[in-house]
Amino acid sequence: MGRTIVITSGKGGVGKTTASANIGVALAKLGRSVVLIDADFGLRNLDLLLGLENRVVYTAIDVLTGQCRLDQALVRDKRLNKLVLLPAAQSRNKDAITPEQMRQLASALSKHYDYVLIDCPAGIEAGFRNAIAPAQEALVVTTPEIAAVRDADRVIGLLEAYRIRNSHLILNRLRPAMVAANDMMSVEDVQEILSIPLIGIVPEDEKVIVSTNKGEPLVLAESPSLAGQAFMNIARRLEGETVEFLDLEAASGGLFSRIRRLFGAKG
């Protein structure tokens, strides 16, 4: 049986779907078979981020209503043959599916794929409960902003209440220069509040906008940006590899890094 992991956030707009697409593609690049489930019924976007929007014929709702088989609804990625997408229906709302139905879909898929990644909708209502129902693990995405961190804290509490205790944190859109200027929460600040293990730190990257518009996740680039490397490293950590976190402050050419280099300091 494959691992079923929900990627969630609480607050919308923190990069959860971008994380889902990139981690799914990264795992497929590592040779794993991956199915991404878009659980955002009514507001699906995962197909767009993967560049698969024109290949969607059936959706999860069509499977549940008996209009097609599960394998007919899976959209195979055109670049990686080990990656497939189960799209959400755009014309139905989050009440169109139940937690038990989501469990049935994920259970059937986990028999054939190494990873079942569920892109959870924002919020903590019905869509959230559906998305987390089959999961054994969770990746909680937040940005270093107090509203996003507070919502992530609420989500972590709910995951524990639903007996999902294997949760890891992805801190997205970090700006080292702002952290150095005390204008943004640091990694340590966020970790202290949320108290779950860190699995990834992803820097702010304007290339995310380009990759989203093109339907080409960052990790597909021949020379991935820092954000792309960070998503690739998250996939490797999921695989059990020990991977050091990127030195984002040094990579951004921050003042403290320049001073350290000037005086030959080591760290």
Side-chain angles (χ1 to χ4, degrees), residues 55-67:
R55 295 191 172 195
V56 175
V57 177
Y58 297 109
T59 69
I61 295 295
D62 295 320
V63 177
L64 293 170
T65 56
Q67 295 182 51

Side-chain angles (χ1 to χ4, degrees), residues 5-49:
I5 305 174
V6 64
I7 300 171
T8 182
S9 63
K11 187 178 183 299
V14 300
K16 173 178 45 55
T17 301
T18 298
S20 300
N22 278 282
I23 294 169
V25 171
L27 286 167
K29 283 186 70 175
L30 292 174
R32 294 297 187 178
S33 56
V34 180
V35 55
L36 281 159
I37 300 179
D38 191 339
D40 201 349
F41 291 85
L43 291 171
R44 78 176 188 219
N45 282 315
L46 195 49
D47 55 329
L48 281 172
L49 269 63

Side-chain angles (χ1 to χ4, degrees), residues 11-149:
K11 187 178 183 299
V14 300
K16 173 178 45 55
T17 301
T18 298
S20 300
N22 278 282
I23 294 169
V25 171
L27 286 167
K29 283 186 70 175
L30 292 174
R32 294 297 187 178
S33 56
V34 180
V35 55
L36 281 159
I37 300 179
D38 191 339
D40 201 349
F41 291 85
L43 291 171
R44 78 176 188 219
N45 282 315
L46 195 49
D47 55 329
L48 281 172
L49 269 63
L50 292 167
L52 299 176
E53 67 276 10
N54 292 329
R55 295 191 172 195
V56 175
V57 177
Y58 297 109
T59 69
I61 295 295
D62 295 320
V63 177
L64 293 170
T65 56
Q67 295 182 51
C68 71
R69 298 188 311 273
L70 179 55
D71 63 296
Q72 288 179 298
L74 297 175
V75 182
R76 192 164 298 281
D77 188 88
K78 50 197 171 190
R79 298 149 299 203
L80 296 163
N81 61 14
K82 290 199 170 188
L83 178 70
V84 297
L85 167 71
L86 179 59
Q90 271 187 309
S91 58
R92 306 289 288 273
N93 62 33
K94 295 170 177 59
D95 296 326
I97 188 169
T98 67
E100 182 53 35
Q101 288 174 319
M102 187 62 88
R103 285 191 198 95
Q104 292 172 7
L105 288 174
S107 175
L109 291 167
S110 68
K111 295 173 183 171
H112 304 285
Y113 292 88
D114 296 321
Y115 286 89
V116 178
L117 302 182
I118 303 171
D119 183 30
C120 181
I124 55 173
E125 308 303 332
F128 170 79
R129 293 193 294 274
N130 290 335
I132 68 169
Q136 299 105 31
E137 305 172 51
L139 298 177
V140 180
V141 183
T142 186
T143 53
E145 303 163 85
I146 191 61
V149 173

Side-chain angles (χ1 to χ4, degrees), residues 144 169 171 174 179 185-192 198 201:
L169 173 66
L171 184 56
L174 188 78
V179 174
M185 298 172 75
S186 68
V187 176
E188 292 76 18
D189 292 334
V190 177
Q191 273 193 288
E192 185 177 347
L198 185 68
I201 306 169

